[in-house]
Amino acid sequence: MLAADPGASIAAIAAEAGVDRRTVYRRFASREELLAAIYEARVEAIERATEDARLREAPVAVALHRYVEGIIGVNRTWPVELARMKADETIRERRDVLIREVDTFLQRATDEGLLRADIPAAWASSLLPQLMHLASQQLPDHSAAQAADMVVDTFLRGLGGGDADGVR
């Protein structure tokens, strides 16, 4: 509901959930506290997806697909407006750690030849989240794995390092 209407009231959220607004207020003292809990849950899910992808250990192509599939799942489960999430200092710090982890992984992908070395690192780092976001929203009839197939194929065909494994 908050993804569709970031300004939704507690009363509207409670009605959508089928509970009285007092029930919501017993758990969350304010709308901001509810939003903080949602952002916390989203960041925890992103941390799990990143860890499950094994970005440091798994073969690069496998880790990339696992990561993309996991993040698409998170985006679909927690489709909240991210600008407000970035305003929370603790959440932002945790998010920054995750961004550094993915940037390190993308450098590994470049070093191993999966991504082209002539592309600025910031381009790959900016493009991947955008593709995952688009897939999360525009491929609702695809499973997270199927959407990940499309994202990884698009990402590697655009930034891929050559014709290894039939890419490019």
Side-chain angles (χ1 to χ4, degrees), residues 48-93:
R48 277 192 308 279
T50 303
E51 184 177 316
D52 290 349
R54 299 181 47 235
L55 298 179
R56 294 176 190 252
E57 306 86 20
V60 174
V62 172
L64 177 62
H65 195 281
R66 285 180 182 162
Y67 174 73
V68 170
E69 183 177 347
I71 298 301
I72 288 171
V74 170
N75 288 346
R76 288 177 173 173
T77 303
W78 301 102
V80 294
E81 197 267 307
L82 299 179
R84 296 188 73 180
M85 188 171 158
K86 295 173 188 176
D88 180 293
E89 185 176 337
T90 304
I91 297 292
R92 189 177 59 249
E93 288 171 3

mmCIF file of all heavy atoms in Angstrom, residues 48-93:
data_model
loop_
_atom_site.group_PDB
_atom_site.id
_atom_site.type_symbol
_atom_site.label_atom_id
_atom_site.label_comp_id
_atom_site.label_asym_id
_atom_site.label_seq_id
_atom_site.Cartn_x
_atom_site.Cartn_y
_atom_site.Cartn_z
ATOM 1 N N ARG A 48 20.304 -10.366 3.511
ATOM 2 C CA ARG A 48 20.211 -11.823 3.337
ATOM 3 C C ARG A 48 20.429 -12.209 1.879
ATOM 4 O O ARG A 48 21.145 -13.159 1.577
ATOM 5 C CB ARG A 48 18.856 -12.336 3.814
ATOM 6 C CG ARG A 48 18.763 -12.583 5.296
ATOM 7 C CD ARG A 48 17.506 -13.352 5.698
ATOM 8 N NE ARG A 48 16.265 -12.784 5.196
ATOM 9 C CZ ARG A 48 15.622 -11.767 5.752
ATOM 10 N NH1 ARG A 48 16.084 -11.207 6.844
ATOM 11 N NH2 ARG A 48 14.500 -11.314 5.217
ATOM 12 N N ALA A 49 19.802 -11.468 0.953
ATOM 13 C CA ALA A 49 19.953 -11.777 -0.472
ATOM 14 C C ALA A 49 21.408 -11.625 -0.912
ATOM 15 O O ALA A 49 21.922 -12.445 -1.683
ATOM 16 C CB ALA A 49 19.042 -10.876 -1.308
ATOM 17 N N THR A 50 22.061 -10.599 -0.410
ATOM 18 C CA THR A 50 23.470 -10.367 -0.750
ATOM 19 C C THR A 50 24.342 -11.484 -0.189
ATOM 20 O O THR A 50 25.212 -12.016 -0.886
ATOM 21 C CB THR A 50 23.923 -8.987 -0.233
ATOM 22 O OG1 THR A 50 23.063 -7.981 -0.795
ATOM 23 C CG2 THR A 50 25.363 -8.698 -0.616
ATOM 24 N N GLU A 51 24.090 -11.856 1.049
ATOM 25 C CA GLU A 51 24.857 -12.945 1.672
ATOM 26 C C GLU A 51 24.597 -14.266 0.951
ATOM 27 O O GLU A 51 25.533 -15.017 0.658
ATOM 28 C CB GLU A 51 24.469 -13.067 3.138
ATOM 29 C CG GLU A 51 25.273 -14.101 3.901
ATOM 30 C CD GLU A 51 24.894 -14.140 5.371
ATOM 31 O OE1 GLU A 51 24.754 -13.070 5.985
ATOM 32 O OE2 GLU A 51 24.733 -15.261 5.895
ATOM 33 N N ASP A 52 23.334 -14.551 0.636
ATOM 34 C CA ASP A 52 22.977 -15.802 -0.045
ATOM 35 C C ASP A 52 23.587 -15.899 -1.440
ATOM 36 O O ASP A 52 23.819 -17.001 -1.941
ATOM 37 C CB ASP A 52 21.457 -15.945 -0.140
ATOM 38 C CG ASP A 52 20.793 -16.197 1.205
ATOM 39 O OD1 ASP A 52 21.514 -16.479 2.198
ATOM 40 O OD2 ASP A 52 19.551 -16.091 1.274
ATOM 41 N N ALA A 53 23.849 -14.768 -2.073
ATOM 42 C CA ALA A 53 24.438 -14.772 -3.420
ATOM 43 C C ALA A 53 25.894 -15.213 -3.399
ATOM 44 O O ALA A 53 26.425 -15.636 -4.418
ATOM 45 C CB ALA A 53 24.316 -13.386 -4.050
ATOM 46 N N ARG A 54 26.536 -15.092 -2.229
ATOM 47 C CA ARG A 54 27.950 -15.478 -2.066
ATOM 48 C C ARG A 54 28.826 -14.747 -3.097
ATOM 49 O O ARG A 54 29.571 -15.343 -3.859
ATOM 50 C CB ARG A 54 28.094 -16.993 -2.173
ATOM 51 C CG ARG A 54 27.318 -17.727 -1.097
ATOM 52 C CD ARG A 54 27.439 -19.241 -1.120
ATOM 53 N NE ARG A 54 28.804 -19.687 -1.258
ATOM 54 C CZ ARG A 54 29.228 -20.515 -2.224
ATOM 55 N NH1 ARG A 54 28.384 -20.992 -3.110
ATOM 56 N NH2 ARG A 54 30.489 -20.887 -2.280
ATOM 57 N N LEU A 55 28.729 -13.422 -3.083
ATOM 58 C CA LEU A 55 29.421 -12.584 -4.064
ATOM 59 C C LEU A 55 30.933 -12.743 -4.032
ATOM 60 O O LEU A 55 31.598 -12.528 -5.045
ATOM 61 C CB LEU A 55 29.048 -11.110 -3.854
ATOM 62 C CG LEU A 55 27.579 -10.752 -4.039
ATOM 63 C CD1 LEU A 55 27.353 -9.273 -3.767
ATOM 64 C CD2 LEU A 55 27.091 -11.128 -5.428
ATOM 65 N N ARG A 56 31.486 -13.118 -2.917
ATOM 66 C CA ARG A 56 32.944 -13.268 -2.813
ATOM 67 C C ARG A 56 33.428 -14.673 -3.184
ATOM 68 O O ARG A 56 34.562 -14.830 -3.612
ATOM 69 C CB ARG A 56 33.413 -12.940 -1.401
ATOM 70 C CG ARG A 56 33.214 -11.495 -1.017
ATOM 71 C CD ARG A 56 33.602 -11.249 0.423
ATOM 72 N NE ARG A 56 33.202 -9.931 0.861
ATOM 73 C CZ ARG A 56 34.056 -8.947 1.075
ATOM 74 N NH1 ARG A 56 35.344 -9.139 0.917
ATOM 75 N NH2 ARG A 56 33.612 -7.772 1.462
ATOM 76 N N GLU A 57 32.558 -15.679 -3.001
ATOM 77 C CA GLU A 57 33.012 -17.063 -3.153
ATOM 78 C C GLU A 57 32.510 -17.767 -4.405
ATOM 79 O O GLU A 57 33.247 -18.546 -5.003
ATOM 80 C CB GLU A 57 32.557 -17.915 -1.948
ATOM 81 C CG GLU A 57 32.931 -17.397 -0.598
ATOM 82 C CD GLU A 57 31.930 -16.393 -0.033
ATOM 83 O OE1 GLU A 57 30.770 -16.352 -0.473
ATOM 84 O OE2 GLU A 57 32.336 -15.622 0.843
ATOM 85 N N ALA A 58 31.273 -17.551 -4.770
ATOM 86 C CA ALA A 58 30.670 -18.290 -5.880
ATOM 87 C C ALA A 58 31.261 -17.825 -7.212
ATOM 88 O O ALA A 58 31.747 -16.693 -7.316
ATOM 89 C CB ALA A 58 29.153 -18.092 -5.872
ATOM 90 N N PRO A 59 31.207 -18.686 -8.229
ATOM 91 C CA PRO A 59 31.609 -18.224 -9.562
ATOM 92 C C PRO A 59 30.822 -16.961 -9.911
ATOM 93 O O PRO A 59 29.640 -16.836 -9.557
ATOM 94 C CB PRO A 59 31.226 -19.401 -10.470
ATOM 95 C CG PRO A 59 31.245 -20.597 -9.570
ATOM 96 C CD PRO A 59 30.785 -20.091 -8.231
ATOM 97 N N VAL A 60 31.459 -16.036 -10.578
ATOM 98 C CA VAL A 60 30.882 -14.712 -10.809
ATOM 99 C C VAL A 60 29.504 -14.780 -11.462
ATOM 100 O O VAL A 60 28.562 -14.131 -11.002
ATOM 101 C CB VAL A 60 31.848 -13.827 -11.635
ATOM 102 C CG1 VAL A 60 31.194 -12.513 -12.001
ATOM 103 C CG2 VAL A 60 33.128 -13.573 -10.867
ATOM 104 N N ALA A 61 29.357 -15.559 -12.516
ATOM 105 C CA ALA A 61 28.069 -15.619 -13.210
ATOM 106 C C ALA A 61 26.977 -16.185 -12.300
ATOM 107 O O ALA A 61 25.833 -15.704 -12.312
ATOM 108 C CB ALA A 61 28.182 -16.449 -14.486
ATOM 109 N N VAL A 62 27.324 -17.169 -11.505
ATOM 110 C CA VAL A 62 26.366 -17.770 -10.569
ATOM 111 C C VAL A 62 25.989 -16.753 -9.494
ATOM 112 O O VAL A 62 24.808 -16.559 -9.181
ATOM 113 C CB VAL A 62 26.950 -19.053 -9.940
ATOM 114 C CG1 VAL A 62 26.056 -19.579 -8.822
ATOM 115 C CG2 VAL A 62 27.174 -20.112 -11.008
ATOM 116 N N ALA A 63 26.982 -16.102 -8.928
ATOM 117 C CA ALA A 63 26.731 -15.105 -7.877
ATOM 118 C C ALA A 63 25.883 -13.954 -8.413
ATOM 119 O O ALA A 63 24.974 -13.472 -7.723
ATOM 120 C CB ALA A 63 28.050 -14.581 -7.319
ATOM 121 N N LEU A 64 26.166 -13.515 -9.632
ATOM 122 C CA LEU A 64 25.392 -12.426 -10.235
ATOM 123 C C LEU A 64 23.921 -12.816 -10.340
ATOM 124 O O LEU A 64 23.037 -12.053 -9.945
ATOM 125 C CB LEU A 64 25.952 -12.062 -11.610
ATOM 126 C CG LEU A 64 25.179 -10.984 -12.381
ATOM 127 C CD1 LEU A 64 25.179 -9.665 -11.617
ATOM 128 C CD2 LEU A 64 25.781 -10.818 -13.776
ATOM 129 N N HIS A 65 23.657 -13.997 -10.853
ATOM 130 C CA HIS A 65 22.264 -14.429 -11.008
ATOM 131 C C HIS A 65 21.586 -14.577 -9.644
ATOM 132 O O HIS A 65 20.445 -14.141 -9.462
ATOM 133 C CB HIS A 65 22.173 -15.732 -11.802
ATOM 134 C CG HIS A 65 20.784 -16.009 -12.273
ATOM 135 N ND1 HIS A 65 19.817 -16.538 -11.452
ATOM 136 C CD2 HIS A 65 20.196 -15.791 -13.475
ATOM 137 C CE1 HIS A 65 18.686 -16.654 -12.133
ATOM 138 N NE2 HIS A 65 18.890 -16.200 -13.361
ATOM 139 N N ARG A 66 22.268 -15.171 -8.683
ATOM 140 C CA ARG A 66 21.694 -15.327 -7.336
ATOM 141 C C ARG A 66 21.362 -13.961 -6.734
ATOM 142 O O ARG A 66 20.308 -13.781 -6.128
ATOM 143 C CB ARG A 66 22.670 -16.035 -6.404
ATOM 144 C CG ARG A 66 22.800 -17.502 -6.615
ATOM 145 C CD ARG A 66 23.810 -18.049 -5.619
ATOM 146 N NE ARG A 66 24.031 -19.460 -5.796
ATOM 147 C CZ ARG A 66 25.077 -20.105 -5.320
ATOM 148 N NH1 ARG A 66 26.003 -19.464 -4.619
ATOM 149 N NH2 ARG A 66 25.208 -21.397 -5.520
ATOM 150 N N TYR A 67 22.288 -13.027 -6.884
ATOM 151 C CA TYR A 67 22.086 -11.686 -6.335
ATOM 152 C C TYR A 67 20.885 -11.005 -6.982
ATOM 153 O O TYR A 67 19.996 -10.500 -6.298
ATOM 154 C CB TYR A 67 23.357 -10.851 -6.518
ATOM 155 C CG TYR A 67 23.184 -9.412 -6.106
ATOM 156 C CD1 TYR A 67 23.100 -9.062 -4.762
ATOM 157 C CD2 TYR A 67 23.089 -8.403 -7.051
ATOM 158 C CE1 TYR A 67 22.932 -7.741 -4.376
ATOM 159 C CE2 TYR A 67 22.923 -7.088 -6.680
ATOM 160 C CZ TYR A 67 22.846 -6.758 -5.342
ATOM 161 O OH TYR A 67 22.671 -5.456 -4.971
ATOM 162 N N VAL A 68 20.847 -11.012 -8.296
ATOM 163 C CA VAL A 68 19.761 -10.356 -9.028
ATOM 164 C C VAL A 68 18.421 -10.992 -8.668
ATOM 165 O O VAL A 68 17.447 -10.287 -8.381
ATOM 166 C CB VAL A 68 20.022 -10.394 -10.552
ATOM 167 C CG1 VAL A 68 18.796 -9.933 -11.332
ATOM 168 C CG2 VAL A 68 21.232 -9.535 -10.900
ATOM 169 N N GLU A 69 18.362 -12.305 -8.637
ATOM 170 C CA GLU A 69 17.120 -12.992 -8.289
ATOM 171 C C GLU A 69 16.674 -12.620 -6.872
ATOM 172 O O GLU A 69 15.498 -12.344 -6.627
ATOM 173 C CB GLU A 69 17.305 -14.501 -8.402
ATOM 174 C CG GLU A 69 16.053 -15.291 -8.137
ATOM 175 C CD GLU A 69 16.235 -16.785 -8.329
ATOM 176 O OE1 GLU A 69 17.249 -17.241 -8.906
ATOM 177 O OE2 GLU A 69 15.335 -17.526 -7.882
ATOM 178 N N GLY A 70 17.629 -12.599 -5.954
ATOM 179 C CA GLY A 70 17.305 -12.242 -4.576
ATOM 180 C C GLY A 70 16.797 -10.818 -4.440
ATOM 181 O O GLY A 70 15.807 -10.561 -3.736
ATOM 182 N N ILE A 71 17.442 -9.892 -5.115
ATOM 183 C CA ILE A 71 17.035 -8.486 -5.012
ATOM 184 C C ILE A 71 15.692 -8.249 -5.692
ATOM 185 O O ILE A 71 14.864 -7.479 -5.196
ATOM 186 C CB ILE A 71 18.125 -7.546 -5.567
ATOM 187 C CG1 ILE A 71 19.411 -7.680 -4.747
ATOM 188 C CG2 ILE A 71 17.638 -6.099 -5.601
ATOM 189 C CD1 ILE A 71 19.273 -7.370 -3.259
ATOM 190 N N ILE A 72 15.439 -8.920 -6.795
ATOM 191 C CA ILE A 72 14.114 -8.799 -7.422
ATOM 192 C C ILE A 72 13.047 -9.284 -6.446
ATOM 193 O O ILE A 72 12.004 -8.653 -6.295
ATOM 194 C CB ILE A 72 14.064 -9.558 -8.765
ATOM 195 C CG1 ILE A 72 14.898 -8.803 -9.813
ATOM 196 C CG2 ILE A 72 12.619 -9.746 -9.245
ATOM 197 C CD1 ILE A 72 15.101 -9.544 -11.111
ATOM 198 N N GLY A 73 13.318 -10.367 -5.751
ATOM 199 C CA GLY A 73 12.379 -10.849 -4.740
ATOM 200 C C GLY A 73 12.151 -9.832 -3.636
ATOM 201 O O GLY A 73 11.016 -9.593 -3.212
ATOM 202 N N VAL A 74 13.225 -9.202 -3.181
ATOM 203 C CA VAL A 74 13.111 -8.165 -2.150
ATOM 204 C C VAL A 74 12.301 -6.991 -2.682
ATOM 205 O O VAL A 74 11.405 -6.480 -2.002
ATOM 206 C CB VAL A 74 14.502 -7.684 -1.671
ATOM 207 C CG1 VAL A 74 14.385 -6.446 -0.787
ATOM 208 C CG2 VAL A 74 15.242 -8.801 -0.946
ATOM 209 N N ASN A 75 12.598 -6.553 -3.886
ATOM 210 C CA ASN A 75 11.878 -5.416 -4.469
ATOM 211 C C ASN A 75 10.386 -5.694 -4.581
ATOM 212 O O ASN A 75 9.568 -4.787 -4.391
ATOM 213 C CB ASN A 75 12.437 -5.073 -5.849
ATOM 214 C CG ASN A 75 13.803 -4.430 -5.788
ATOM 215 O OD1 ASN A 75 14.261 -4.004 -4.743
ATOM 216 N ND2 ASN A 75 14.472 -4.381 -6.925
ATOM 217 N N ARG A 76 10.048 -6.926 -4.862
ATOM 218 C CA ARG A 76 8.631 -7.271 -4.989
ATOM 219 C C ARG A 76 7.958 -7.409 -3.620
ATOM 220 O O ARG A 76 6.790 -7.089 -3.477
ATOM 221 C CB ARG A 76 8.483 -8.566 -5.779
ATOM 222 C CG ARG A 76 8.784 -8.374 -7.254
ATOM 223 C CD ARG A 76 8.703 -9.657 -8.013
ATOM 224 N NE ARG A 76 8.833 -9.427 -9.451
ATOM 225 C CZ ARG A 76 8.934 -10.400 -10.334
ATOM 226 N NH1 ARG A 76 8.904 -11.669 -9.952
ATOM 227 N NH2 ARG A 76 9.053 -10.110 -11.612
ATOM 228 N N THR A 77 8.691 -7.882 -2.648
ATOM 229 C CA THR A 77 8.137 -8.061 -1.306
ATOM 230 C C THR A 77 8.047 -6.740 -0.557
ATOM 231 O O THR A 77 7.090 -6.504 0.185
ATOM 232 C CB THR A 77 8.997 -9.047 -0.500
ATOM 233 O OG1 THR A 77 9.066 -10.291 -1.215
ATOM 234 C CG2 THR A 77 8.430 -9.289 0.882
ATOM 235 N N TRP A 78 9.027 -5.876 -0.738
ATOM 236 C CA TRP A 78 9.123 -4.603 -0.014
ATOM 237 C C TRP A 78 9.229 -3.457 -1.011
ATOM 238 O O TRP A 78 10.259 -2.790 -1.079
ATOM 239 C CB TRP A 78 10.336 -4.606 0.915
ATOM 240 C CG TRP A 78 10.305 -5.704 1.917
ATOM 241 C CD1 TRP A 78 11.002 -6.879 1.891
ATOM 242 C CD2 TRP A 78 9.516 -5.745 3.105
ATOM 243 N NE1 TRP A 78 10.692 -7.635 2.986
ATOM 244 C CE2 TRP A 78 9.785 -6.963 3.749
ATOM 245 C CE3 TRP A 78 8.605 -4.858 3.683
ATOM 246 C CZ2 TRP A 78 9.179 -7.326 4.947
ATOM 247 C CZ3 TRP A 78 8.009 -5.220 4.869
ATOM 248 C CH2 TRP A 78 8.288 -6.435 5.490
ATOM 249 N N PRO A 79 8.179 -3.169 -1.783
ATOM 250 C CA PRO A 79 8.254 -2.128 -2.816
ATOM 251 C C PRO A 79 8.021 -0.724 -2.241
ATOM 252 O O PRO A 79 7.077 -0.037 -2.600
ATOM 253 C CB PRO A 79 7.131 -2.533 -3.775
ATOM 254 C CG PRO A 79 6.099 -3.131 -2.871
ATOM 255 C CD PRO A 79 6.888 -3.849 -1.793
ATOM 256 N N VAL A 80 8.904 -0.313 -1.340
ATOM 257 C CA VAL A 80 8.733 0.989 -0.697
ATOM 258 C C VAL A 80 9.560 2.049 -1.405
ATOM 259 O O VAL A 80 10.556 1.744 -2.052
ATOM 260 C CB VAL A 80 9.108 0.934 0.805
ATOM 261 C CG1 VAL A 80 8.138 0.046 1.552
ATOM 262 C CG2 VAL A 80 10.526 0.470 1.008
ATOM 263 N N GLU A 81 9.157 3.279 -1.239
ATOM 264 C CA GLU A 81 9.841 4.424 -1.832
ATOM 265 C C GLU A 81 11.207 4.582 -1.157
ATOM 266 O O GLU A 81 11.301 4.708 0.056
ATOM 267 C CB GLU A 81 8.954 5.658 -1.623
ATOM 268 C CG GLU A 81 9.302 6.815 -2.495
ATOM 269 C CD GLU A 81 10.260 7.752 -1.791
ATOM 270 O OE1 GLU A 81 9.972 8.184 -0.685
ATOM 271 O OE2 GLU A 81 11.309 8.023 -2.386
ATOM 272 N N LEU A 82 12.267 4.527 -1.949
ATOM 273 C CA LEU A 82 13.613 4.449 -1.394
ATOM 274 C C LEU A 82 14.198 5.774 -0.936
ATOM 275 O O LEU A 82 15.083 5.793 -0.095
ATOM 276 C CB LEU A 82 14.552 3.799 -2.410
ATOM 277 C CG LEU A 82 14.179 2.370 -2.796
ATOM 278 C CD1 LEU A 82 15.161 1.836 -3.821
ATOM 279 C CD2 LEU A 82 14.127 1.469 -1.591
ATOM 280 N N ALA A 83 13.725 6.881 -1.460
ATOM 281 C CA ALA A 83 14.306 8.175 -1.074
ATOM 282 C C ALA A 83 14.149 8.408 0.424
ATOM 283 O O ALA A 83 15.076 8.869 1.089
ATOM 284 C CB ALA A 83 13.665 9.308 -1.866
ATOM 285 N N ARG A 84 13.006 8.060 0.973
ATOM 286 C CA ARG A 84 12.798 8.231 2.415
ATOM 287 C C ARG A 84 13.681 7.261 3.189
ATOM 288 O O ARG A 84 14.149 7.567 4.278
ATOM 289 C CB ARG A 84 11.336 8.017 2.767
ATOM 290 C CG ARG A 84 10.450 9.079 2.116
ATOM 291 C CD ARG A 84 9.073 8.997 2.607
ATOM 292 N NE ARG A 84 9.055 9.514 3.975
ATOM 293 C CZ ARG A 84 7.984 9.584 4.715
ATOM 294 N NH1 ARG A 84 6.841 9.160 4.251
ATOM 295 N NH2 ARG A 84 8.035 10.069 5.933
ATOM 296 N N MET A 85 13.880 6.080 2.635
ATOM 297 C CA MET A 85 14.718 5.083 3.290
ATOM 298 C C MET A 85 16.153 5.596 3.424
ATOM 299 O O MET A 85 16.806 5.366 4.430
ATOM 300 C CB MET A 85 14.677 3.792 2.471
ATOM 301 C CG MET A 85 15.328 2.619 3.117
ATOM 302 S SD MET A 85 14.959 1.149 2.127
ATOM 303 C CE MET A 85 16.281 0.126 2.644
ATOM 304 N N LYS A 86 16.614 6.299 2.417
ATOM 305 C CA LYS A 86 17.981 6.816 2.423
ATOM 306 C C LYS A 86 18.179 7.913 3.461
ATOM 307 O O LYS A 86 19.300 8.214 3.843
ATOM 308 C CB LYS A 86 18.349 7.342 1.033
ATOM 309 C CG LYS A 86 18.396 6.256 -0.019
ATOM 310 C CD LYS A 86 18.606 6.869 -1.396
ATOM 311 C CE LYS A 86 18.469 5.828 -2.484
ATOM 312 N NZ LYS A 86 18.577 6.406 -3.815
ATOM 313 N N ALA A 87 17.101 8.519 3.916
ATOM 314 C CA ALA A 87 17.205 9.607 4.893
ATOM 315 C C ALA A 87 17.523 9.096 6.295
ATOM 316 O O ALA A 87 18.065 9.839 7.108
ATOM 317 C CB ALA A 87 15.903 10.406 4.919
ATOM 318 N N ASP A 88 17.222 7.843 6.580
ATOM 319 C CA ASP A 88 17.507 7.259 7.886
ATOM 320 C C ASP A 88 18.995 6.913 7.946
ATOM 321 O O ASP A 88 19.478 6.091 7.172
ATOM 322 C CB ASP A 88 16.654 6.007 8.096
ATOM 323 C CG ASP A 88 16.897 5.355 9.430
ATOM 324 O OD1 ASP A 88 18.015 4.840 9.650
ATOM 325 O OD2 ASP A 88 15.965 5.346 10.257
ATOM 326 N N GLU A 89 19.725 7.541 8.872
ATOM 327 C CA GLU A 89 21.184 7.400 8.908
ATOM 328 C C GLU A 89 21.642 5.954 9.109
ATOM 329 O O GLU A 89 22.545 5.483 8.417
ATOM 330 C CB GLU A 89 21.773 8.287 10.007
ATOM 331 C CG GLU A 89 23.287 8.280 10.007
ATOM 332 C CD GLU A 89 23.863 9.222 11.032
ATOM 333 O OE1 GLU A 89 23.191 10.173 11.441
ATOM 334 O OE2 GLU A 89 25.022 8.994 11.415
ATOM 335 N N THR A 90 21.026 5.230 10.024
ATOM 336 C CA THR A 90 21.431 3.845 10.286
ATOM 337 C C THR A 90 21.179 2.968 9.071
ATOM 338 O O THR A 90 22.040 2.177 8.680
ATOM 339 C CB THR A 90 20.674 3.285 11.505
ATOM 340 O OG1 THR A 90 20.918 4.142 12.612
ATOM 341 C CG2 THR A 90 21.116 1.883 11.838
ATOM 342 N N ILE A 91 20.021 3.120 8.475
ATOM 343 C CA ILE A 91 19.682 2.342 7.278
ATOM 344 C C ILE A 91 20.622 2.723 6.143
ATOM 345 O O ILE A 91 21.117 1.860 5.420
ATOM 346 C CB ILE A 91 18.207 2.575 6.868
ATOM 347 C CG1 ILE A 91 17.261 2.093 7.958
ATOM 348 C CG2 ILE A 91 17.905 1.947 5.526
ATOM 349 C CD1 ILE A 91 17.227 0.606 8.182
ATOM 350 N N ARG A 92 20.897 4.010 5.991
ATOM 351 C CA ARG A 92 21.798 4.476 4.926
ATOM 352 C C ARG A 92 23.190 3.882 5.093
ATOM 353 O O ARG A 92 23.812 3.447 4.122
ATOM 354 C CB ARG A 92 21.846 6.003 4.890
ATOM 355 C CG ARG A 92 22.599 6.549 3.676
ATOM 356 C CD ARG A 92 22.593 8.061 3.596
ATOM 357 N NE ARG A 92 23.198 8.676 4.762
ATOM 358 C CZ ARG A 92 22.549 9.376 5.681
ATOM 359 N NH1 ARG A 92 21.249 9.552 5.575
ATOM 360 N NH2 ARG A 92 23.171 9.906 6.701
ATOM 361 N N GLU A 93 23.683 3.820 6.323
ATOM 362 C CA GLU A 93 25.007 3.242 6.571
ATOM 363 C C GLU A 93 25.033 1.768 6.186
ATOM 364 O O GLU A 93 25.994 1.299 5.567
ATOM 365 C CB GLU A 93 25.399 3.427 8.031
ATOM 366 C CG GLU A 93 25.740 4.858 8.395
ATOM 367 C CD GLU A 93 25.921 5.090 9.892
ATOM 368 O OE1 GLU A 93 25.835 4.114 10.680
ATOM 369 O OE2 GLU A 93 26.145 6.250 10.272
#
